[in-house]
Amino acid sequence: MTTQHDPIDPVAPEGVDLERPNVARVYDWFLGGSANWAIDREFGSQVLKQFPEVKTFARVGRDFLGRGVGYLARQGITQFLDIGSGVPTVGNVHQIASAINPDSRVVYVDIEPVAVAHSQLLLEREGLLGRHAVLQGDVRDPADIWKRALETGVIDPRQPIGLVLVGLLYFLGPDEPVYEMVQRYLDFLPSGSYFLSSHLTEDGVTRKEGDNRENVQELYKKTSAPFHLRSRAEFTAFFDGLELVEPGIDWMATWHLDEADSRASDRFADDPTFTGGLGGLGRKP
């Protein structure tokens, strides 16, 4: 068995914690990426034993992000604030948006140093630093993130913005002022902006033999960010004051499934409840 000190792993960037698995790096491993360490892969393997569909589920979330960003770009949204953006992989926000509108601009924000470093390298390699930007920051501090996002010069606060919090809110627990936090971000957004988000739930979820997702939740308590489930009603409450885009709050696997090629999501089209993932998009009047 490999260990976190296995020589195949690169030297960790400054500030990277290798004492515990990190959820962004584990997610990167689920998606087939390389920005992860042995401790993350070993944890991911434990999750796979409890819930063999987890890699496909990760791709369902990525599909949803892509379809949501594509929808916004087709509505004329040209600037995005992607918080909790994670490690770059196939189908990043700037790539999806720019394929539809070459003038699109993105500010990426993540708390994990590896995610920030890899995002920086990707943009440098593509020659896109300046048009897009990367920040290290904590979603729990909306004022700081908003201030620094504007200081990049990438985002114009007078024009509609696509706020992206996909695969993030369930890592914030019930003892945190999560609704107030989201509302602060929404208050910053100008009229005509959109809020794209997702969440995990138990509401109406189909269970199958060998489905040990409760054990997965227990495993995640050992990571840098345990996750918390919310009901459909609790997730819907994040969109209070917004105009929900049809079909409203829906399963990620079927939300606007016709918007793009989504092979992982197609697998669950007949029973999207099994994924336990909800998604939604709201427009600020």
Side-chain angles (χ1 to χ4, degrees), residues 49-212:
K49 289 177 183 177
Q50 298 297 328
F51 200 39
E53 295 278 14
V54 68
K55 286 189 174 183
T56 305
F57 278 24
R59 294 188 181 95
V60 167
R62 200 70 187 174
D63 285 351
F64 169 75
L65 171 68
R67 297 198 305 274
V69 171
Y71 177 91
L72 291 180
R74 282 186 282 275
Q75 305 310 303
I77 298 297
T78 59
Q79 48 184 7
F80 298 82
L81 178 58
D82 183 4
I83 305 176
S85 51
V87 177
T89 184
V90 176
N92 298 294
V93 170
H94 74 278
Q95 295 166 331
I96 298 165
S98 296
I100 297 168
N101 188 329
D103 295 325
S104 296
R105 303 178 304 282
V106 181
V107 174
Y108 290 108
V109 183
D110 205 280
I111 196 171
E112 162 60 28
V114 170
V116 174
H118 277 259
S119 297
Q120 193 89 8
L121 286 171
L122 174 66
L123 294 177
E124 287 177 355
R125 189 164 58 243
E126 295 180 0
L128 295 174
L129 272 179
R131 190 174 121 200
H132 309 295
V134 186
L135 302 174
Q136 184 171 1
D138 191 331
V139 66
R140 298 172 182 85
D141 194 346
D144 175 67
I145 286 180
W146 182 254
K147 175 178 178 291
R148 291 195 293 129
L150 296 187
E151 287 173 349
T152 66
V154 170
I155 287 180
D156 180 353
R158 300 166 297 180
Q159 300 297 321
I161 296 166
L163 173 64
V164 179
L165 297 177
V166 170
L168 176 63
L169 291 178
Y170 46 84
F171 291 115
L172 301 174
D175 56 338
E176 299 185 79
V178 187
Y179 292 96
E180 293 85 347
M181 179 200 78
V182 170
Q183 188 57 56
R184 286 291 305 281
Y185 284 109
L186 298 180
D187 289 343
F188 289 136
L189 299 178
S191 176
S193 294
Y194 287 83
F195 172 47
L196 178 71
S197 191
S198 65
H199 214 290
L200 297 178
T201 188
E202 287 183 316
D203 275 8
V205 172
T206 302
R207 307 301 290 267
K208 297 181 180 179
E209 186 177 352
D211 182 343
N212 299 314

Side-chain angles (χ1 to χ4, degrees), residues 264-276:
S265 297
D266 285 342
R267 286 188 52 185
F268 301 102
D270 292 335
D271 186 12
T273 72
F274 180 63
T275 64

